[in-house]
Amino acid sequence: MRGHQVTIKDIAKILHISPSTVSRALKDHPDINPQTKKNVQDLAKKLNYKPNQIALNLLQQESKLIGVIIPEIIHYFFSTVISGIEKIANESGYHIIITQSNESYHKEVENIQALLSSNIDGFIITMAKTTLNFDHFKNVEEIGVPMVFVDRSCDAVTADKVLVDDFDGAYKATKHLIENGCKNIIHLAGPQNLDIGIQRKEGFLSALNNSNIPINSYSVQICDTHDHALKLIPELLSRHNNIDGIFAVNDLTAIGAMKAVKSMNKKVPDDIAISGFTNSHISYIADPELTTVDQKGFEMGQHAARMILKRIHSDENYGPVTTILNTDLIIRKSSLKRKLN
Amino acid sequence: MRGHQVTIKDIAKILHISPSTVSRALKDHPDINPQTKKNVQDLAKKLNYKPNQIALNLLQQESKLIGVIIPEIIHYFFSTVISGIEKIANESGYHIIITQSNESYHKEVENIQALLSSNIDGFIITMAKTTLNFDHFKNVEEIGVPMVFVDRSCDAVTADKVLVDDFDGAYKATKHLIENGCKNIIHLAGPQNLDIGIQRKEGFLSALNNSNIPINSYSVQICDTHDHALKLIPELLSRHNNIDGIFAVNDLTAIGAMKAVKSMNKKVPDDIAISGFTNSHISYIADPELTTVDQKGFEMGQHAARMILKRIHSDENYGPVTTILNTDLIIRKSSLKRKLN
DNA sequence: GGAACTATTTCAAACGTTTGCGAAAGGAGT
DNA sequence: ACTCCTTTCGCAAACGTTTGAAATAGTTCC
């Protein structure tokens, strides 16, 4: 049913000239007779000729395609990363193929294989949480297809990375809570096998230390989902009545905590101030609006795209580059206690 | 820097046989000597041979690529649609190229052109809100590349569609509010140049009529963003004190309305019950949790992918197919008034 | 009138793969 | 010794495009 796209050969046949002449005429090659040029260009426009990208790809040994592997597209952060990648890629005539790992190691391996056989020119990857074996990345490295890791770094392989300064972000958020009068802050932390989980925790602890605030046995809780926070916080508050601040590893968890706090008839922020991390849409939607750390997803995506394009177009094999972006603290109502002093 | 991928020709050269023999050996063609076959297959495995997808695409005049054009990936609904598409496409060896129009007509046209020259095998499209001219779609139709429209239908062009029963969803949500004791419900409606805006409004009005509830001059307000609702609702409530229910065209608007209601010291749901539409993540996050209509994004994506694959693989030119999915009413706390009778 | 040059066009190979057809070689049957 | 068949393989074309090199025709110059 496909109506045959018009090709250079078609134009050549109609005009009784050779395909090479048509090709050159279309690119304004000086060797071509102006009249022939005009004939060709007019006909091409009339027939709505579009060069066949696949043929060009084959000839030039490139696909102008960047493979993107992320855990889950429905997460606000990742969708902003994708938007950033898409913007820069499109500006250079590239397109992106998106695949999701759903945080599954096996799906990630599958996706790598599938994208490789699609002859993509480069990878932009955020590893799955469950990825502990890195042979599939090493394989890519051997083949020589460039990779950029985003947000979660993989040290088993030499590749470019773009990360965010999680430590500093967490530090700033915690410091802000302290400055707003919090004296007993807990941290709802992410899994400690991931760099971001560790860094955000360390930033939190460092801020406490720096302000000479004592760290309790319950100051750090592994808890990184909305529903978990909803269950955990009431328990915690009933045991430790003097908790007056919560710094959560992500916005969703922060909002779960917020709901739990409100359900116990405590006020946010006056009784308990809260900060999240990511600056996803929901932080603005929350009631009260959630203070959070902007994770710069869009910028990360843009950087990653620029890095991969540079690799693709570079002949020399320069060493791996790591870019670390600064975070911004976004201050909203959930952390602004009435000043008591 | 790219380490030349190993090709059939490489294998042929090493084994001193012709490329055609290698090709056939790799596919277990009966014409090939078992020993030759084994030699080829062993070497191919050893060298990690992967067929060049681009060459195959050129030969078979297909790219195994589906072009997806959506307004904005950061919207929960669209990201679920994408997930659905990706799942089905991958199962059939297809990949998806995603582009965003950002609700801009011009970007949409650009994306169509770019994807066409990437020789994608089919389009899955959700039109931008601002698209009023359809020549770019007609162009695609002429060329003969199949299209499926998702969520927002385009009648100017003969193509498959997968829609959701917006009318019925709105009807069910409104009916539910009525059954929970609402006597004066307003509808925050979407733009009335889009089908979904019209259908949801009509469903709302029909439910009121069916329950003999009078429709006021202010019953329908064009308002489809969080921030607009935040401004509009206080005005409305101060003028019409007896409003006791709100049905919003999407979840974000519903949550804006919810915040506004709470800010006026009215209780949700007891004073004013609220329902949204979409069932996005935020509806579960809201406080109180938001009653809403599940828009079945994932299912829509799956259907769209199946429809486009069927088109791609079909030789005959069957008439356009429209699939309309049923919605589910998701009842949560925001609509459950204490029964007064 | 031949060399030298210019202007314009075509040829052919290349990218990697598939596939119809033909070729070569050997064996069996008559 | 001839045909016929089988087994195994290679040739060449095809997909659409680009590009160096060669070809053709026409002009200029001495």
mmCIF file of all heavy atoms in Angstrom, chain C residues 3-8, chain D residues 24-28:
data_model
loop_
_atom_site.group_PDB
_atom_site.id
_atom_site.type_symbol
_atom_site.label_atom_id
_atom_site.label_comp_id
_atom_site.label_asym_id
_atom_site.label_seq_id
_atom_site.Cartn_x
_atom_site.Cartn_y
_atom_site.Cartn_z
ATOM 1 P P DA C 3 48.003 16.337 -31.392
ATOM 2 O OP1 DA C 3 49.138 15.395 -31.234
ATOM 3 O OP2 DA C 3 46.612 15.843 -31.371
ATOM 4 O "O5'" DA C 3 48.155 17.493 -30.314
ATOM 5 C "C5'" DA C 3 49.224 18.419 -30.429
ATOM 6 C "C4'" DA C 3 48.998 19.560 -29.457
ATOM 7 O "O4'" DA C 3 47.898 20.379 -29.928
ATOM 8 C "C3'" DA C 3 48.660 19.114 -28.040
ATOM 9 O "O3'" DA C 3 49.382 19.912 -27.114
ATOM 10 C "C2'" DA C 3 47.153 19.362 -27.948
ATOM 11 C "C1'" DA C 3 46.953 20.549 -28.879
ATOM 12 N N9 DA C 3 45.628 20.599 -29.507
ATOM 13 C C8 DA C 3 45.001 19.596 -30.204
ATOM 14 N N7 DA C 3 43.818 19.947 -30.677
ATOM 15 C C5 DA C 3 43.667 21.263 -30.257
ATOM 16 C C6 DA C 3 42.629 22.200 -30.430
ATOM 17 N N6 DA C 3 41.519 21.931 -31.105
ATOM 18 N N1 DA C 3 42.798 23.425 -29.869
ATOM 19 C C2 DA C 3 43.932 23.679 -29.201
ATOM 20 N N3 DA C 3 44.982 22.873 -28.979
ATOM 21 C C4 DA C 3 44.775 21.681 -29.534
ATOM 22 P P DA C 4 49.396 19.525 -25.599
ATOM 23 O OP1 DA C 4 50.734 19.904 -25.049
ATOM 24 O OP2 DA C 4 48.871 18.150 -25.424
ATOM 25 O "O5'" DA C 4 48.322 20.538 -25.040
ATOM 26 C "C5'" DA C 4 48.477 21.937 -25.299
ATOM 27 C "C4'" DA C 4 47.283 22.662 -24.732
ATOM 28 O "O4'" DA C 4 46.152 22.517 -25.635
ATOM 29 C "C3'" DA C 4 46.821 22.123 -23.371
ATOM 30 O "O3'" DA C 4 46.665 23.213 -22.485
ATOM 31 C "C2'" DA C 4 45.502 21.441 -23.666
ATOM 32 C "C1'" DA C 4 44.994 22.229 -24.859
ATOM 33 N N9 DA C 4 44.067 21.502 -25.713
ATOM 34 C C8 DA C 4 44.145 20.192 -26.110
ATOM 35 N N7 DA C 4 43.159 19.814 -26.888
ATOM 36 C C5 DA C 4 42.379 20.951 -27.002
ATOM 37 C C6 DA C 4 41.169 21.208 -27.692
ATOM 38 N N6 DA C 4 40.549 20.297 -28.421
ATOM 39 N N1 DA C 4 40.641 22.447 -27.581
ATOM 40 C C2 DA C 4 41.284 23.362 -26.834
ATOM 41 N N3 DA C 4 42.419 23.238 -26.146
ATOM 42 C C4 DA C 4 42.913 21.999 -26.272
ATOM 43 P P DC C 5 46.471 22.958 -20.925
ATOM 44 O OP1 DC C 5 47.385 23.866 -20.202
ATOM 45 O OP2 DC C 5 46.493 21.494 -20.664
ATOM 46 O "O5'" DC C 5 44.991 23.480 -20.736
ATOM 47 C "C5'" DC C 5 44.638 24.773 -21.262
ATOM 48 C "C4'" DC C 5 43.164 24.819 -21.516
ATOM 49 O "O4'" DC C 5 42.800 23.890 -22.553
ATOM 50 C "C3'" DC C 5 42.296 24.395 -20.313
ATOM 51 O "O3'" DC C 5 41.793 25.562 -19.662
ATOM 52 C "C2'" DC C 5 41.152 23.587 -20.933
ATOM 53 C "C1'" DC C 5 41.418 23.662 -22.437
ATOM 54 N N1 DC C 5 41.059 22.408 -23.131
ATOM 55 C C2 DC C 5 39.944 22.416 -23.973
ATOM 56 O O2 DC C 5 39.293 23.481 -24.107
ATOM 57 N N3 DC C 5 39.580 21.275 -24.623
ATOM 58 C C4 DC C 5 40.312 20.166 -24.453
ATOM 59 N N4 DC C 5 39.937 19.082 -25.118
ATOM 60 C C5 DC C 5 41.460 20.143 -23.601
ATOM 61 C C6 DC C 5 41.779 21.268 -22.967
ATOM 62 P P DT C 6 40.957 25.386 -18.318
ATOM 63 O OP1 DT C 6 41.179 26.597 -17.502
ATOM 64 O OP2 DT C 6 41.238 24.042 -17.771
ATOM 65 O "O5'" DT C 6 39.475 25.402 -18.868
ATOM 66 C "C5'" DT C 6 39.059 26.390 -19.801
ATOM 67 C "C4'" DT C 6 37.608 26.131 -20.172
ATOM 68 O "O4'" DT C 6 37.532 24.986 -21.054
ATOM 69 C "C3'" DT C 6 36.710 25.838 -18.974
ATOM 70 O "O3'" DT C 6 35.554 26.650 -19.052
ATOM 71 C "C2'" DT C 6 36.382 24.349 -19.114
ATOM 72 C "C1'" DT C 6 36.501 24.128 -20.620
ATOM 73 N N1 DT C 6 36.895 22.750 -21.032
ATOM 74 C C2 DT C 6 36.137 22.102 -21.975
ATOM 75 O O2 DT C 6 35.157 22.577 -22.494
ATOM 76 N N3 DT C 6 36.581 20.843 -22.301
ATOM 77 C C4 DT C 6 37.693 20.187 -21.779
ATOM 78 O O4 DT C 6 37.993 19.066 -22.151
ATOM 79 C C5 DT C 6 38.437 20.926 -20.785
ATOM 80 C C7 DT C 6 39.646 20.315 -20.146
ATOM 81 C C6 DT C 6 38.013 22.167 -20.453
ATOM 82 P P DA C 7 34.578 26.708 -17.814
ATOM 83 O OP1 DA C 7 34.112 28.107 -17.675
ATOM 84 O OP2 DA C 7 35.151 25.976 -16.676
ATOM 85 O "O5'" DA C 7 33.361 25.858 -18.405
ATOM 86 C "C5'" DA C 7 32.943 26.078 -19.749
ATOM 87 C "C4'" DA C 7 31.871 25.073 -20.089
ATOM 88 O "O4'" DA C 7 32.499 23.818 -20.467
ATOM 89 C "C3'" DA C 7 30.913 24.747 -18.935
ATOM 90 O "O3'" DA C 7 29.588 24.753 -19.446
ATOM 91 C "C2'" DA C 7 31.348 23.366 -18.465
ATOM 92 C "C1'" DA C 7 31.915 22.748 -19.732
ATOM 93 N N9 DA C 7 32.989 21.780 -19.526
ATOM 94 C C8 DA C 7 34.052 21.869 -18.657
ATOM 95 N N7 DA C 7 34.875 20.847 -18.706
ATOM 96 C C5 DA C 7 34.309 20.021 -19.667
ATOM 97 C C6 DA C 7 34.683 18.761 -20.182
ATOM 98 N N6 DA C 7 35.788 18.104 -19.797
ATOM 99 N N1 DA C 7 33.902 18.219 -21.133
ATOM 100 C C2 DA C 7 32.813 18.875 -21.521
ATOM 101 N N3 DA C 7 32.347 20.062 -21.116
ATOM 102 C C4 DA C 7 33.152 20.584 -20.178
ATOM 103 P P DT C 8 28.378 24.591 -18.420
ATOM 104 O OP1 DT C 8 27.218 25.309 -18.998
ATOM 105 O OP2 DT C 8 28.854 24.890 -17.067
ATOM 106 O "O5'" DT C 8 28.086 23.046 -18.531
ATOM 107 C "C5'" DT C 8 27.654 22.530 -19.777
ATOM 108 C "C4'" DT C 8 27.697 21.025 -19.741
ATOM 109 O "O4'" DT C 8 29.025 20.565 -19.465
ATOM 110 C "C3'" DT C 8 26.827 20.385 -18.650
ATOM 111 O "O3'" DT C 8 25.679 19.856 -19.286
ATOM 112 C "C2'" DT C 8 27.715 19.296 -18.044
ATOM 113 C "C1'" DT C 8 28.895 19.248 -19.005
ATOM 114 N N1 DT C 8 30.214 18.850 -18.414
ATOM 115 C C2 DT C 8 30.801 17.692 -18.867
ATOM 116 O O2 DT C 8 30.304 16.983 -19.719
ATOM 117 N N3 DT C 8 32.006 17.395 -18.290
ATOM 118 C C4 DT C 8 32.665 18.135 -17.321
ATOM 119 O O4 DT C 8 33.746 17.778 -16.881
ATOM 120 C C5 DT C 8 31.990 19.326 -16.894
ATOM 121 C C7 DT C 8 32.616 20.201 -15.853
ATOM 122 C C6 DT C 8 30.800 19.636 -17.446
ATOM 123 P P DT D 24 33.416 8.492 -25.332
ATOM 124 O OP1 DT D 24 32.607 7.374 -25.838
ATOM 125 O OP2 DT D 24 34.839 8.665 -25.690
ATOM 126 O "O5'" DT D 24 32.672 9.846 -25.689
ATOM 127 C "C5'" DT D 24 31.393 10.124 -25.098
ATOM 128 C "C4'" DT D 24 31.129 11.605 -25.188
ATOM 129 O "O4'" DT D 24 31.936 12.308 -24.224
ATOM 130 C "C3'" DT D 24 31.473 12.217 -26.543
ATOM 131 O "O3'" DT D 24 30.262 12.490 -27.233
ATOM 132 C "C2'" DT D 24 32.256 13.490 -26.204
ATOM 133 C "C1'" DT D 24 32.068 13.625 -24.700
ATOM 134 N N1 DT D 24 33.203 14.254 -23.960
ATOM 135 C C2 DT D 24 32.968 15.432 -23.304
ATOM 136 O O2 DT D 24 31.892 15.992 -23.296
ATOM 137 N N3 DT D 24 34.047 15.940 -22.624
ATOM 138 C C4 DT D 24 35.318 15.384 -22.562
ATOM 139 O O4 DT D 24 36.212 15.937 -21.920
ATOM 140 C C5 DT D 24 35.486 14.155 -23.274
ATOM 141 C C7 DT D 24 36.811 13.481 -23.279
ATOM 142 C C6 DT D 24 34.429 13.637 -23.946
ATOM 143 P P DA D 25 30.284 12.942 -28.714
ATOM 144 O OP1 DA D 25 29.031 12.467 -29.342
ATOM 145 O OP2 DA D 25 31.605 12.587 -29.282
ATOM 146 O "O5'" DA D 25 30.211 14.515 -28.568
ATOM 147 C "C5'" DA D 25 29.257 15.088 -27.666
ATOM 148 C "C4'" DA D 25 29.572 16.563 -27.507
ATOM 149 O "O4'" DA D 25 30.696 16.729 -26.613
ATOM 150 C "C3'" DA D 25 29.936 17.266 -28.818
ATOM 151 O "O3'" DA D 25 29.072 18.383 -28.968
ATOM 152 C "C2'" DA D 25 31.395 17.665 -28.646
ATOM 153 C "C1'" DA D 25 31.533 17.739 -27.129
ATOM 154 N N9 DA D 25 32.878 17.470 -26.633
ATOM 155 C C8 DA D 25 33.693 16.418 -26.941
ATOM 156 N N7 DA D 25 34.848 16.432 -26.311
ATOM 157 C C5 DA D 25 34.791 17.585 -25.534
ATOM 158 C C6 DA D 25 35.699 18.174 -24.640
ATOM 159 N N6 DA D 25 36.892 17.653 -24.366
ATOM 160 N N1 DA D 25 35.331 19.315 -24.030
ATOM 161 C C2 DA D 25 34.117 19.834 -24.301
ATOM 162 N N3 DA D 25 33.176 19.367 -25.135
ATOM 163 C C4 DA D 25 33.575 18.228 -25.725
ATOM 164 P P DG D 26 29.034 19.189 -30.318
ATOM 165 O OP1 DG D 26 27.627 19.459 -30.625
ATOM 166 O OP2 DG D 26 29.925 18.531 -31.301
ATOM 167 O "O5'" DG D 26 29.719 20.568 -29.886
ATOM 168 C "C5'" DG D 26 29.317 21.180 -28.667
ATOM 169 C "C4'" DG D 26 30.397 22.134 -28.224
ATOM 170 O "O4'" DG D 26 31.533 21.392 -27.752
ATOM 171 C "C3'" DG D 26 30.917 23.043 -29.335
ATOM 172 O "O3'" DG D 26 30.647 24.393 -28.986
ATOM 173 C "C2'" DG D 26 32.410 22.771 -29.407
ATOM 174 C "C1'" DG D 26 32.699 22.133 -28.063
ATOM 175 N N9 DG D 26 33.822 21.212 -28.079
ATOM 176 C C8 DG D 26 33.961 20.063 -28.828
ATOM 177 N N7 DG D 26 35.095 19.441 -28.618
ATOM 178 C C5 DG D 26 35.738 20.231 -27.670
ATOM 179 C C6 DG D 26 36.998 20.068 -27.047
ATOM 180 O O6 DG D 26 37.827 19.165 -27.228
ATOM 181 N N1 DG D 26 37.274 21.102 -26.145
ATOM 182 C C2 DG D 26 36.419 22.149 -25.877
ATOM 183 N N2 DG D 26 36.841 23.030 -24.977
ATOM 184 N N3 DG D 26 35.241 22.315 -26.443
ATOM 185 C C4 DG D 26 34.965 21.318 -27.324
ATOM 186 P P DT D 27 31.015 25.552 -30.033
ATOM 187 O OP1 DT D 27 29.952 26.567 -29.910
ATOM 188 O OP2 DT D 27 31.380 24.969 -31.342
ATOM 189 O "O5'" DT D 27 32.350 26.161 -29.404
ATOM 190 C "C5'" DT D 27 32.347 26.624 -28.044
ATOM 191 C "C4'" DT D 27 33.763 26.967 -27.649
ATOM 192 O "O4'" DT D 27 34.577 25.773 -27.670
ATOM 193 C "C3'" DT D 27 34.450 27.970 -28.583
ATOM 194 O "O3'" DT D 27 34.749 29.150 -27.843
ATOM 195 C "C2'" DT D 27 35.708 27.254 -29.066
ATOM 196 C "C1'" DT D 27 35.875 26.135 -28.042
ATOM 197 N N1 DT D 27 36.555 24.896 -28.545
ATOM 198 C C2 DT D 27 37.767 24.538 -28.001
ATOM 199 O O2 DT D 27 38.320 25.175 -27.153
ATOM 200 N N3 DT D 27 38.288 23.378 -28.514
ATOM 201 C C4 DT D 27 37.737 22.556 -29.502
ATOM 202 O O4 DT D 27 38.311 21.545 -29.891
ATOM 203 C C5 DT D 27 36.470 23.004 -30.029
ATOM 204 C C7 DT D 27 35.786 22.215 -31.089
ATOM 205 C C6 DT D 27 35.925 24.154 -29.534
ATOM 206 P P DT D 28 35.306 30.418 -28.637
ATOM 207 O OP1 DT D 28 34.733 31.589 -27.952
ATOM 208 O OP2 DT D 28 35.160 30.227 -30.098
ATOM 209 O "O5'" DT D 28 36.861 30.346 -28.299
ATOM 210 C "C5'" DT D 28 37.287 30.133 -26.951
ATOM 211 C "C4'" DT D 28 38.780 29.847 -26.946
ATOM 212 O "O4'" DT D 28 39.035 28.517 -27.452
ATOM 213 C "C3'" DT D 28 39.595 30.818 -27.801
ATOM 214 O "O3'" DT D 28 40.596 31.409 -26.996
ATOM 215 C "C2'" DT D 28 40.190 29.934 -28.898
ATOM 216 C "C1'" DT D 28 40.200 28.558 -28.227
ATOM 217 N N1 DT D 28 40.153 27.389 -29.139
ATOM 218 C C2 DT D 28 41.113 26.413 -29.013
ATOM 219 O O2 DT D 28 42.015 26.461 -28.216
ATOM 220 N N3 DT D 28 40.975 25.367 -29.897
ATOM 221 C C4 DT D 28 39.994 25.195 -30.865
ATOM 222 O O4 DT D 28 39.976 24.216 -31.581
ATOM 223 C C5 DT D 28 39.018 26.258 -30.931
ATOM 224 C C7 DT D 28 37.925 26.192 -31.948
ATOM 225 C C6 DT D 28 39.137 27.314 -30.079
#
